Amino acid sequence: MIHARLVYRKRHGSSKMNFFSRLSFFNNFAYAIGGLKFSLNDIEHGVLRCNAKSLINPFSKEWFKVDDPRRRYVLERLEPRIHFALNCGAVSCPPISVYEASKLDKQLSLAARNFISQEVELKFLGKKIQVHANSILKWYGRDFGSDNNTMLQYLLPYFPKEVQEQFRGLYEGSDTRLDISFTFRDYNWGDNDCLLYTSPSPRDS
């Protein structure tokens, strides 16, 4: 995605986008892989998110249709931690990093811990928990859990141990679900610093 954004900036003189140009960018900027065309959204939602439904249209069906040859590349199991690793070049994206297949699980866990420490704030108010977080958790919340309780429980192992113990203490002896609410920061779509010092190759003009 970094490459795609750099090419977009070179072609348009700026990488600044409004909602509609951003939607077009993710839907139309594509790569040829194995003789097939994959847009940025195809890679993220079709392949990495296991043929998930569109985030924009709640009534949509699977990303790739039944007869789409790209379905054979869909991952068998959703790995929510990808959201702590994917970077499109925006300021609010997770940090850029290089991932290796042999170390992927450890690296994704590290990415999750880094994201949690920088992008998620918890406030314990009796039996209530207020969560203030990066908008990534709003957009992809269903990848982490079906509701606020299950989403926070998924994220819990990546918080510091003292926070984990405080959270578990609230559950002890309780026969009801905790009152957990989420609020989200506005997403900063401005250029990440990496884009200021990087240029695409001449052939990408």
Side-chain angles (χ1 to χ4, degrees):
M1 289 190 184
I2 297 295
H3 172 264
R5 190 156 171 153
L6 286 168
V7 173
Y8 180 95
R9 185 179 68 181
K10 186 171 184 178
R11 290 177 179 174
H12 297 273
S14 169
S15 55
K16 186 176 181 180
M17 308 178 200
N18 59 31
F19 173 81
F20 297 103
S21 58
R22 192 179 306 123
L23 187 64
S24 175
F25 171 72
F26 284 102
N27 278 330
N28 298 319
F29 201 103
Y31 293 87
I33 305 174
L36 299 171
K37 180 181 177 182
F38 289 85
S39 70
L40 300 177
N41 272 338
D42 291 334
I43 295 171
E44 180 178 5
H45 306 301
V47 177
L48 297 178
R49 294 187 62 232
C50 303
N51 214 24
K53 295 180 179 180
S54 168
L55 295 177
I56 303 297
N57 181 6
F59 303 104
S60 64
K61 298 182 180 180
E62 293 180 323
W63 193 265
F64 294 139
K65 296 180 180 180
V66 175
D67 59 349
D68 194 319
R70 295 173 296 180
R71 283 179 70 105
R72 67 176 180 268
Y73 296 107
V74 172
L75 296 185
E76 295 180 358
R77 181 177 65 87
L78 175 64
E79 174 50 81
R81 291 176 298 174
I82 62 169
H83 299 304
F84 307 136
L86 294 176
N87 186 301
C88 72
V91 173
S92 290
C93 286
I96 297 171
S97 200
V98 177
Y99 293 87
E100 302 176 44
S102 61
K103 303 176 183 177
L104 187 58
D105 184 65
K106 290 183 178 180
Q107 290 177 321
L108 287 177
S109 289
L110 177 60
R113 287 193 293 272
N114 288 339
F115 182 90
I116 294 298
S117 68
Q118 298 175 24
E119 301 290 345
V120 182
E121 302 171 24
L122 291 187
K123 286 186 179 180
F124 292 90
L125 305 171
K127 286 287 185 180
K128 295 183 179 180
I129 300 177
Q130 293 180 348
V131 185
H132 189 53
N134 186 302
S135 287
I136 287 174
L137 293 182
K138 174 175 69 173
W139 300 329
Y140 301 102
R142 63 180 182 232
D143 289 356
F144 297 95
S146 58
D147 55 34
N148 288 349
N149 272 261
T150 53
M151 181 162 67
L152 189 54
Q153 287 184 51
Y154 178 90
L155 299 174
L156 189 62
Y158 307 107
F159 281 96
K161 287 187 177 180
E162 58 269 22
V163 175
Q164 297 181 37
E165 292 172 358
Q166 188 173 2
F167 182 84
R168 293 191 180 104
L170 294 177
Y171 265 106
E172 291 180 1
S174 176
D175 57 357
T176 60
R177 298 169 70 80
L178 297 178
D179 183 356
I180 300 173
S181 61
F182 277 77
T183 57
F184 303 96
R185 288 187 287 277
D186 290 339
Y187 206 75
N188 186 343
W189 289 99
D191 285 351
N192 185 290
D193 286 346
C194 72
L195 295 179
L196 302 179
Y197 307 105
T198 311
S199 297
S201 63
R203 68 179 181 178
D204 294 322
S205 299

mmCIF file with all atom_site columns, all heavy atoms in Angstrom, residues 80-105:
data_model
loop_
_atom_site.group_PDB
_atom_site.id
_atom_site.type_symbol
_atom_site.label_atom_id
_atom_site.label_alt_id
_atom_site.label_comp_id
_atom_site.label_asym_id
_atom_site.label_entity_id
_atom_site.label_seq_id
_atom_site.pdbx_PDB_ins_code
_atom_site.Cartn_x
_atom_site.Cartn_y
_atom_site.Cartn_z
_atom_site.occupancy
_atom_site.B_iso_or_equiv
_atom_site.pdbx_formal_charge
_atom_site.auth_seq_id
_atom_site.auth_comp_id
_atom_site.auth_asym_id
_atom_site.auth_atom_id
_atom_site.pdbx_PDB_model_num
ATOM 1   N N   . PRO A 1 80  ? -6.908 -11.496 13.128 1.00 0.00 ? 80  PRO A N   1
ATOM 2   C CA  . PRO A 1 80  ? -7.212 -10.088 13.408 1.00 0.00 ? 80  PRO A CA  1
ATOM 3   C C   . PRO A 1 80  ? -5.986 -9.216  13.619 1.00 0.00 ? 80  PRO A C   1
ATOM 4   O O   . PRO A 1 80  ? -6.047 -8.000  13.398 1.00 0.00 ? 80  PRO A O   1
ATOM 5   C CB  . PRO A 1 80  ? -8.051 -10.167 14.700 1.00 0.00 ? 80  PRO A CB  1
ATOM 6   C CG  . PRO A 1 80  ? -8.647 -11.540 14.683 1.00 0.00 ? 80  PRO A CG  1
ATOM 7   C CD  . PRO A 1 80  ? -7.585 -12.409 14.068 1.00 0.00 ? 80  PRO A CD  1
ATOM 8   N N   . ARG A 1 81  ? -4.868 -9.801  14.022 1.00 0.00 ? 81  ARG A N   1
ATOM 9   C CA  . ARG A 1 81  ? -3.673 -8.992  14.294 1.00 0.00 ? 81  ARG A CA  1
ATOM 10  C C   . ARG A 1 81  ? -3.103 -8.325  13.037 1.00 0.00 ? 81  ARG A C   1
ATOM 11  O O   . ARG A 1 81  ? -2.245 -7.450  13.149 1.00 0.00 ? 81  ARG A O   1
ATOM 12  C CB  . ARG A 1 81  ? -2.606 -9.850  14.973 1.00 0.00 ? 81  ARG A CB  1
ATOM 13  C CG  . ARG A 1 81  ? -2.973 -10.275 16.394 1.00 0.00 ? 81  ARG A CG  1
ATOM 14  C CD  . ARG A 1 81  ? -1.921 -11.215 16.972 1.00 0.00 ? 81  ARG A CD  1
ATOM 15  N NE  . ARG A 1 81  ? -1.817 -12.440 16.189 1.00 0.00 ? 81  ARG A NE  1
ATOM 16  C CZ  . ARG A 1 81  ? -0.902 -13.393 16.394 1.00 0.00 ? 81  ARG A CZ  1
ATOM 17  N NH1 . ARG A 1 81  ? -0.013 -13.248 17.378 1.00 0.00 ? 81  ARG A NH1 1
ATOM 18  N NH2 . ARG A 1 81  ? -0.877 -14.473 15.646 1.00 0.00 ? 81  ARG A NH2 1
ATOM 19  N N   . ILE A 1 82  ? -3.589 -8.709  11.864 1.00 0.00 ? 82  ILE A N   1
ATOM 20  C CA  . ILE A 1 82  ? -3.108 -8.032  10.648 1.00 0.00 ? 82  ILE A CA  1
ATOM 21  C C   . ILE A 1 82  ? -3.424 -6.544  10.697 1.00 0.00 ? 82  ILE A C   1
ATOM 22  O O   . ILE A 1 82  ? -2.720 -5.734  10.091 1.00 0.00 ? 82  ILE A O   1
ATOM 23  C CB  . ILE A 1 82  ? -3.717 -8.637  9.360  1.00 0.00 ? 82  ILE A CB  1
ATOM 24  C CG1 . ILE A 1 82  ? -5.251 -8.474  9.346  1.00 0.00 ? 82  ILE A CG1 1
ATOM 25  C CG2 . ILE A 1 82  ? -3.297 -10.088 9.174  1.00 0.00 ? 82  ILE A CG2 1
ATOM 26  C CD1 . ILE A 1 82  ? -5.894 -8.807  8.028  1.00 0.00 ? 82  ILE A CD1 1
ATOM 27  N N   . HIS A 1 83  ? -4.477 -6.184  11.439 1.00 0.00 ? 83  HIS A N   1
ATOM 28  C CA  . HIS A 1 83  ? -4.867 -4.776  11.508 1.00 0.00 ? 83  HIS A CA  1
ATOM 29  C C   . HIS A 1 83  ? -3.861 -3.935  12.292 1.00 0.00 ? 83  HIS A C   1
ATOM 30  O O   . HIS A 1 83  ? -3.904 -2.705  12.231 1.00 0.00 ? 83  HIS A O   1
ATOM 31  C CB  . HIS A 1 83  ? -6.259 -4.655  12.121 1.00 0.00 ? 83  HIS A CB  1
ATOM 32  C CG  . HIS A 1 83  ? -7.316 -5.361  11.325 1.00 0.00 ? 83  HIS A CG  1
ATOM 33  N ND1 . HIS A 1 83  ? -7.537 -5.092  9.990  1.00 0.00 ? 83  HIS A ND1 1
ATOM 34  C CD2 . HIS A 1 83  ? -8.188 -6.346  11.664 1.00 0.00 ? 83  HIS A CD2 1
ATOM 35  C CE1 . HIS A 1 83  ? -8.516 -5.855  9.547  1.00 0.00 ? 83  HIS A CE1 1
ATOM 36  N NE2 . HIS A 1 83  ? -8.920 -6.632  10.537 1.00 0.00 ? 83  HIS A NE2 1
ATOM 37  N N   . PHE A 1 84  ? -2.980 -4.600  13.018 1.00 0.00 ? 84  PHE A N   1
ATOM 38  C CA  . PHE A 1 84  ? -1.928 -3.889  13.740 1.00 0.00 ? 84  PHE A CA  1
ATOM 39  C C   . PHE A 1 84  ? -0.645 -3.840  12.916 1.00 0.00 ? 84  PHE A C   1
ATOM 40  O O   . PHE A 1 84  ? 0.372  -3.317  13.379 1.00 0.00 ? 84  PHE A O   1
ATOM 41  C CB  . PHE A 1 84  ? -1.649 -4.574  15.078 1.00 0.00 ? 84  PHE A CB  1
ATOM 42  C CG  . PHE A 1 84  ? -2.883 -4.774  15.916 1.00 0.00 ? 84  PHE A CG  1
ATOM 43  C CD1 . PHE A 1 84  ? -3.116 -5.980  16.563 1.00 0.00 ? 84  PHE A CD1 1
ATOM 44  C CD2 . PHE A 1 84  ? -3.815 -3.759  16.042 1.00 0.00 ? 84  PHE A CD2 1
ATOM 45  C CE1 . PHE A 1 84  ? -4.255 -6.161  17.332 1.00 0.00 ? 84  PHE A CE1 1
ATOM 46  C CE2 . PHE A 1 84  ? -4.963 -3.931  16.804 1.00 0.00 ? 84  PHE A CE2 1
ATOM 47  C CZ  . PHE A 1 84  ? -5.179 -5.139  17.462 1.00 0.00 ? 84  PHE A CZ  1
ATOM 48  N N   . ALA A 1 85  ? -0.700 -4.373  11.703 1.00 0.00 ? 85  ALA A N   1
ATOM 49  C CA  . ALA A 1 85  ? 0.485  -4.449  10.848 1.00 0.00 ? 85  ALA A CA  1
ATOM 50  C C   . ALA A 1 85  ? 0.297  -3.742  9.510  1.00 0.00 ? 85  ALA A C   1
ATOM 51  O O   . ALA A 1 85  ? 1.243  -3.169  8.967  1.00 0.00 ? 85  ALA A O   1
ATOM 52  C CB  . ALA A 1 85  ? 0.863  -5.908  10.598 1.00 0.00 ? 85  ALA A CB  1
ATOM 53  N N   . LEU A 1 86  ? -0.916 -3.776  8.957  1.00 0.00 ? 86  LEU A N   1
ATOM 54  C CA  . LEU A 1 86  ? -1.158 -3.173  7.652  1.00 0.00 ? 86  LEU A CA  1
ATOM 55  C C   . LEU A 1 86  ? -1.006 -1.658  7.715  1.00 0.00 ? 86  LEU A C   1
ATOM 56  O O   . LEU A 1 86  ? -1.504 -1.009  8.642  1.00 0.00 ? 86  LEU A O   1
ATOM 57  C CB  . LEU A 1 86  ? -2.567 -3.531  7.150  1.00 0.00 ? 86  LEU A CB  1
ATOM 58  C CG  . LEU A 1 86  ? -2.817 -5.009  6.838  1.00 0.00 ? 86  LEU A CG  1
ATOM 59  C CD1 . LEU A 1 86  ? -4.269 -5.211  6.440  1.00 0.00 ? 86  LEU A CD1 1
ATOM 60  C CD2 . LEU A 1 86  ? -1.890 -5.484  5.730  1.00 0.00 ? 86  LEU A CD2 1
ATOM 61  N N   . ASN A 1 87  ? -0.342 -1.109  6.721  1.00 0.00 ? 87  ASN A N   1
ATOM 62  C CA  . ASN A 1 87  ? -0.070 0.324   6.708  1.00 0.00 ? 87  ASN A CA  1
ATOM 63  C C   . ASN A 1 87  ? -0.288 0.871   5.300  1.00 0.00 ? 87  ASN A C   1
ATOM 64  O O   . ASN A 1 87  ? 0.291  0.359   4.347  1.00 0.00 ? 87  ASN A O   1
ATOM 65  C CB  . ASN A 1 87  ? 1.375  0.584   7.162  1.00 0.00 ? 87  ASN A CB  1
ATOM 66  C CG  . ASN A 1 87  ? 1.680  2.054   7.313  1.00 0.00 ? 87  ASN A CG  1
ATOM 67  O OD1 . ASN A 1 87  ? 1.573  2.824   6.381  1.00 0.00 ? 87  ASN A OD1 1
ATOM 68  N ND2 . ASN A 1 87  ? 2.085  2.443   8.518  1.00 0.00 ? 87  ASN A ND2 1
ATOM 69  N N   . CYS A 1 88  ? -1.133 1.893   5.181  1.00 0.00 ? 88  CYS A N   1
ATOM 70  C CA  . CYS A 1 88  ? -1.408 2.494   3.863  1.00 0.00 ? 88  CYS A CA  1
ATOM 71  C C   . CYS A 1 88  ? -0.677 3.810   3.678  1.00 0.00 ? 88  CYS A C   1
ATOM 72  O O   . CYS A 1 88  ? -0.915 4.522   2.699  1.00 0.00 ? 88  CYS A O   1
ATOM 73  C CB  . CYS A 1 88  ? -2.909 2.686   3.670  1.00 0.00 ? 88  CYS A CB  1
ATOM 74  S SG  . CYS A 1 88  ? -3.606 4.021   4.673  1.00 0.00 ? 88  CYS A SG  1
ATOM 75  N N   . GLY A 1 89  ? 0.188  4.160   4.622  1.00 0.00 ? 89  GLY A N   1
ATOM 76  C CA  . GLY A 1 89  ? 0.943  5.392   4.500  1.00 0.00 ? 89  GLY A CA  1
ATOM 77  C C   . GLY A 1 89  ? 0.331  6.577   5.220  1.00 0.00 ? 89  GLY A C   1
ATOM 78  O O   . GLY A 1 89  ? 0.861  7.684   5.146  1.00 0.00 ? 89  GLY A O   1
ATOM 79  N N   . ALA A 1 90  ? -0.761 6.352   5.950  1.00 0.00 ? 90  ALA A N   1
ATOM 80  C CA  . ALA A 1 90  ? -1.401 7.435   6.694  1.00 0.00 ? 90  ALA A CA  1
ATOM 81  C C   . ALA A 1 90  ? -0.779 7.566   8.085  1.00 0.00 ? 90  ALA A C   1
ATOM 82  O O   . ALA A 1 90  ? -0.237 6.611   8.638  1.00 0.00 ? 90  ALA A O   1
ATOM 83  C CB  . ALA A 1 90  ? -2.901 7.180   6.813  1.00 0.00 ? 90  ALA A CB  1
ATOM 84  N N   . VAL A 1 91  ? -0.899 8.751   8.661  1.00 0.00 ? 91  VAL A N   1
ATOM 85  C CA  . VAL A 1 91  ? -0.325 9.011   9.981  1.00 0.00 ? 91  VAL A CA  1
ATOM 86  C C   . VAL A 1 91  ? -0.886 8.078   11.039 1.00 0.00 ? 91  VAL A C   1
ATOM 87  O O   . VAL A 1 91  ? -0.153 7.592   11.911 1.00 0.00 ? 91  VAL A O   1
ATOM 88  C CB  . VAL A 1 91  ? -0.583 10.486  10.390 1.00 0.00 ? 91  VAL A CB  1
ATOM 89  C CG1 . VAL A 1 91  ? -0.156 10.730  11.830 1.00 0.00 ? 91  VAL A CG1 1
ATOM 90  C CG2 . VAL A 1 91  ? 0.150  11.430  9.454  1.00 0.00 ? 91  VAL A CG2 1
ATOM 91  N N   . SER A 1 92  ? -2.181 7.792   10.986 1.00 0.00 ? 92  SER A N   1
ATOM 92  C CA  . SER A 1 92  ? -2.813 6.969   12.021 1.00 0.00 ? 92  SER A CA  1
ATOM 93  C C   . SER A 1 92  ? -2.659 5.468   11.811 1.00 0.00 ? 92  SER A C   1
ATOM 94  O O   . SER A 1 92  ? -3.160 4.679   12.611 1.00 0.00 ? 92  SER A O   1
ATOM 95  C CB  . SER A 1 92  ? -4.309 7.313   12.119 1.00 0.00 ? 92  SER A CB  1
ATOM 96  O OG  . SER A 1 92  ? -4.494 8.595   12.671 1.00 0.00 ? 92  SER A OG  1
ATOM 97  N N   . CYS A 1 93  ? -1.986 5.066   10.735 1.00 0.00 ? 93  CYS A N   1
ATOM 98  C CA  . CYS A 1 93  ? -1.742 3.638   10.508 1.00 0.00 ? 93  CYS A CA  1
ATOM 99  C C   . CYS A 1 93  ? -0.748 3.099   11.543 1.00 0.00 ? 93  CYS A C   1
ATOM 100 O O   . CYS A 1 93  ? 0.044  3.851   12.109 1.00 0.00 ? 93  CYS A O   1
ATOM 101 C CB  . CYS A 1 93  ? -1.168 3.404   9.111  1.00 0.00 ? 93  CYS A CB  1
ATOM 102 S SG  . CYS A 1 93  ? -2.351 3.565   7.773  1.00 0.00 ? 93  CYS A SG  1
ATOM 103 N N   . PRO A 1 94  ? -0.743 1.794   11.764 1.00 0.00 ? 94  PRO A N   1
ATOM 104 C CA  . PRO A 1 94  ? 0.279  1.192   12.628 1.00 0.00 ? 94  PRO A CA  1
ATOM 105 C C   . PRO A 1 94  ? 1.669  1.436   12.051 1.00 0.00 ? 94  PRO A C   1
ATOM 106 O O   . PRO A 1 94  ? 1.811  1.717   10.858 1.00 0.00 ? 94  PRO A O   1
ATOM 107 C CB  . PRO A 1 94  ? -0.075 -0.305  12.595 1.00 0.00 ? 94  PRO A CB  1
ATOM 108 C CG  . PRO A 1 94  ? -1.514 -0.350  12.222 1.00 0.00 ? 94  PRO A CG  1
ATOM 109 C CD  . PRO A 1 94  ? -1.710 0.806   11.286 1.00 0.00 ? 94  PRO A CD  1
ATOM 110 N N   . PRO A 1 95  ? 2.705  1.322   12.870 1.00 0.00 ? 95  PRO A N   1
ATOM 111 C CA  . PRO A 1 95  ? 4.074  1.530   12.374 1.00 0.00 ? 95  PRO A CA  1
ATOM 112 C C   . PRO A 1 95  ? 4.427  0.566   11.250 1.00 0.00 ? 95  PRO A C   1
ATOM 113 O O   . PRO A 1 95  ? 3.945  -0.565  11.200 1.00 0.00 ? 95  PRO A O   1
ATOM 114 C CB  . PRO A 1 95  ? 4.939  1.252   13.614 1.00 0.00 ? 95  PRO A CB  1
ATOM 115 C CG  . PRO A 1 95  ? 4.035  1.496   14.767 1.00 0.00 ? 95  PRO A CG  1
ATOM 116 C CD  . PRO A 1 95  ? 2.671  1.064   14.316 1.00 0.00 ? 95  PRO A CD  1
ATOM 117 N N   . ILE A 1 96  ? 5.264  1.030   10.349 1.00 0.00 ? 96  ILE A N   1
ATOM 118 C CA  . ILE A 1 96  ? 5.729  0.192   9.247  1.00 0.00 ? 96  ILE A CA  1
ATOM 119 C C   . ILE A 1 96  ? 6.764  -0.792  9.770  1.00 0.00 ? 96  ILE A C   1
ATOM 120 O O   . ILE A 1 96  ? 7.646  -0.432  10.551 1.00 0.00 ? 96  ILE A O   1
ATOM 121 C CB  . ILE A 1 96  ? 6.344  1.055   8.132  1.00 0.00 ? 96  ILE A CB  1
ATOM 122 C CG1 . ILE A 1 96  ? 5.276  1.976   7.550  1.00 0.00 ? 96  ILE A CG1 1
ATOM 123 C CG2 . ILE A 1 96  ? 6.958  0.190   7.042  1.00 0.00 ? 96  ILE A CG2 1
ATOM 124 C CD1 . ILE A 1 96  ? 5.824  3.005   6.602  1.00 0.00 ? 96  ILE A CD1 1
ATOM 125 N N   . SER A 1 97  ? 6.662  -2.027  9.339  1.00 0.00 ? 97  SER A N   1
ATOM 126 C CA  . SER A 1 97  ? 7.617  -3.040  9.766  1.00 0.00 ? 97  SER A CA  1
ATOM 127 C C   . SER A 1 97  ? 7.757  -4.095  8.683  1.00 0.00 ? 97  SER A C   1
ATOM 128 O O   . SER A 1 97  ? 6.923  -4.188  7.778  1.00 0.00 ? 97  SER A O   1
ATOM 129 C CB  . SER A 1 97  ? 7.144  -3.686  11.077 1.00 0.00 ? 97  SER A CB  1
ATOM 130 O OG  . SER A 1 97  ? 8.182  -4.318  11.746 1.00 0.00 ? 97  SER A OG  1
ATOM 131 N N   . VAL A 1 98  ? 8.823  -4.867  8.755  1.00 0.00 ? 98  VAL A N   1
ATOM 132 C CA  . VAL A 1 98  ? 9.055  -5.970  7.819  1.00 0.00 ? 98  VAL A CA  1
ATOM 133 C C   . VAL A 1 98  ? 8.745  -7.273  8.541  1.00 0.00 ? 98  VAL A C   1
ATOM 134 O O   . VAL A 1 98  ? 9.210  -7.492  9.670  1.00 0.00 ? 98  VAL A O   1
ATOM 135 C CB  . VAL A 1 98  ? 10.521 -5.979  7.323  1.00 0.00 ? 98  VAL A CB  1
ATOM 136 C CG1 . VAL A 1 98  ? 10.757 -7.178  6.413  1.00 0.00 ? 98  VAL A CG1 1
ATOM 137 C CG2 . VAL A 1 98  ? 10.835 -4.680  6.590  1.00 0.00 ? 98  VAL A CG2 1
ATOM 138 N N   . TYR A 1 99  ? 7.959  -8.142  7.905  1.00 0.00 ? 99  TYR A N   1
ATOM 139 C CA  . TYR A 1 99  ? 7.530  -9.388  8.534  1.00 0.00 ? 99  TYR A CA  1
ATOM 140 C C   . TYR A 1 99  ? 8.111  -10.593 7.800  1.00 0.00 ? 99  TYR A C   1
ATOM 141 O O   . TYR A 1 99  ? 8.196  -10.599 6.578  1.00 0.00 ? 99  TYR A O   1
ATOM 142 C CB  . TYR A 1 99  ? 5.995  -9.458  8.558  1.00 0.00 ? 99  TYR A CB  1
ATOM 143 C CG  . TYR A 1 99  ? 5.395  -8.406  9.463  1.00 0.00 ? 99  TYR A CG  1
ATOM 144 C CD1 . TYR A 1 99  ? 5.127  -7.119  8.977  1.00 0.00 ? 99  TYR A CD1 1
ATOM 145 C CD2 . TYR A 1 99  ? 5.127  -8.667  10.800 1.00 0.00 ? 99  TYR A CD2 1
ATOM 146 C CE1 . TYR A 1 99  ? 4.614  -6.136  9.803  1.00 0.00 ? 99  TYR A CE1 1
ATOM 147 C CE2 . TYR A 1 99  ? 4.600  -7.696  11.637 1.00 0.00 ? 99  TYR A CE2 1
ATOM 148 C CZ  . TYR A 1 99  ? 4.353  -6.430  11.143 1.00 0.00 ? 99  TYR A CZ  1
ATOM 149 O OH  . TYR A 1 99  ? 3.848  -5.460  11.966 1.00 0.00 ? 99  TYR A OH  1
ATOM 150 N N   . GLU A 1 100 ? 8.500  -11.594 8.587  1.00 0.00 ? 100 GLU A N   1
ATOM 151 C CA  . GLU A 1 100 ? 9.072  -12.823 8.045  1.00 0.00 ? 100 GLU A CA  1
ATOM 152 C C   . GLU A 1 100 ? 8.162  -13.999 8.382  1.00 0.00 ? 100 GLU A C   1
ATOM 153 O O   . GLU A 1 100 ? 7.639  -14.080 9.501  1.00 0.00 ? 100 GLU A O   1
ATOM 154 C CB  . GLU A 1 100 ? 10.458 -13.060 8.634  1.00 0.00 ? 100 GLU A CB  1
ATOM 155 C CG  . GLU A 1 100 ? 11.444 -11.931 8.394  1.00 0.00 ? 100 GLU A CG  1
ATOM 156 C CD  . GLU A 1 100 ? 12.772 -12.177 9.083  1.00 0.00 ? 100 GLU A CD  1
ATOM 157 O OE1 . GLU A 1 100 ? 13.267 -13.325 9.008  1.00 0.00 ? 100 GLU A OE1 1
ATOM 158 O OE2 . GLU A 1 100 ? 13.304 -11.246 9.710  1.00 0.00 ? 100 GLU A OE2 1
ATOM 159 N N   . ALA A 1 101 ? 7.974  -14.902 7.430  1.00 0.00 ? 101 ALA A N   1
ATOM 160 C CA  . ALA A 1 101 ? 7.065  -16.039 7.624  1.00 0.00 ? 101 ALA A CA  1
ATOM 161 C C   . ALA A 1 101 ? 7.435  -16.854 8.855  1.00 0.00 ? 101 ALA A C   1
ATOM 162 O O   . ALA A 1 101 ? 6.564  -17.280 9.628  1.00 0.00 ? 101 ALA A O   1
ATOM 163 C CB  . ALA A 1 101 ? 7.066  -16.923 6.381  1.00 0.00 ? 101 ALA A CB  1
ATOM 164 N N   . SER A 1 102 ? 8.724  -17.089 9.079  1.00 0.00 ? 102 SER A N   1
ATOM 165 C CA  . SER A 1 102 ? 9.164  -17.937 10.182 1.00 0.00 ? 102 SER A CA  1
ATOM 166 C C   . SER A 1 102 ? 8.970  -17.275 11.549 1.00 0.00 ? 102 SER A C   1
ATOM 167 O O   . SER A 1 102 ? 8.986  -17.939 12.581 1.00 0.00 ? 102 SER A O   1
ATOM 168 C CB  . SER A 1 102 ? 10.637 -18.310 10.007 1.00 0.00 ? 102 SER A CB  1
ATOM 169 O OG  . SER A 1 102 ? 11.452 -17.148 10.004 1.00 0.00 ? 102 SER A OG  1
ATOM 170 N N   . LYS A 1 103 ? 8.784  -15.960 11.563 1.00 0.00 ? 103 LYS A N   1
ATOM 171 C CA  . LYS A 1 103 ? 8.642  -15.219 12.822 1.00 0.00 ? 103 LYS A CA  1
ATOM 172 C C   . LYS A 1 103 ? 7.311  -14.491 12.918 1.00 0.00 ? 103 LYS A C   1
ATOM 173 O O   . LYS A 1 103 ? 7.115  -13.650 13.790 1.00 0.00 ? 103 LYS A O   1
ATOM 174 C CB  . LYS A 1 103 ? 9.772  -14.202 12.956 1.00 0.00 ? 103 LYS A CB  1
ATOM 175 C CG  . LYS A 1 103 ? 11.173 -14.781 12.880 1.00 0.00 ? 103 LYS A CG  1
ATOM 176 C CD  . LYS A 1 103 ? 12.214 -13.672 12.920 1.00 0.00 ? 103 LYS A CD  1
ATOM 177 C CE  . LYS A 1 103 ? 13.625 -14.226 12.782 1.00 0.00 ? 103 LYS A CE  1
ATOM 178 N NZ  . LYS A 1 103 ? 14.642 -13.135 12.757 1.00 0.00 ? 103 LYS A NZ  1
ATOM 179 N N   . LEU A 1 104 ? 6.393  -14.824 12.012 1.00 0.00 ? 104 LEU A N   1
ATOM 180 C CA  . LEU A 1 104 ? 5.187  -14.019 11.850 1.00 0.00 ? 104 LEU A CA  1
ATOM 181 C C   . LEU A 1 104 ? 4.345  -13.931 13.125 1.00 0.00 ? 104 LEU A C   1
ATOM 182 O O   . LEU A 1 104 ? 3.883  -12.851 13.499 1.00 0.00 ? 104 LEU A O   1
ATOM 183 C CB  . LEU A 1 104 ? 4.339  -14.576 10.709 1.00 0.00 ? 104 LEU A CB  1
ATOM 184 C CG  . LEU A 1 104 ? 3.122  -13.732 10.305 1.00 0.00 ? 104 LEU A CG  1
ATOM 185 C CD1 . LEU A 1 104 ? 3.565  -12.324 9.904  1.00 0.00 ? 104 LEU A CD1 1
ATOM 186 C CD2 . LEU A 1 104 ? 2.362  -14.395 9.164  1.00 0.00 ? 104 LEU A CD2 1
ATOM 187 N N   . ASP A 1 105 ? 4.146  -15.032 13.817 1.00 0.00 ? 105 ASP A N   1
ATOM 188 C CA  . ASP A 1 105 ? 3.298  -15.013 15.008 1.00 0.00 ? 105 ASP A CA  1
ATOM 189 C C   . ASP A 1 105 ? 3.866  -14.075 16.072 1.00 0.00 ? 105 ASP A C   1
ATOM 190 O O   . ASP A 1 105 ? 3.150  -13.242 16.633 1.00 0.00 ? 105 ASP A O   1
ATOM 191 C CB  . ASP A 1 105 ? 3.141  -16.424 15.575 1.00 0.00 ? 105 ASP A CB  1
ATOM 192 C CG  . ASP A 1 105 ? 2.188  -16.465 16.757 1.00 0.00 ? 105 ASP A CG  1
ATOM 193 O OD1 . ASP A 1 105 ? 0.985  -16.181 16.557 1.00 0.00 ? 105 ASP A OD1 1
ATOM 194 O OD2 . ASP A 1 105 ? 2.643  -16.771 17.879 1.00 0.00 ? 105 ASP A OD2 1
#
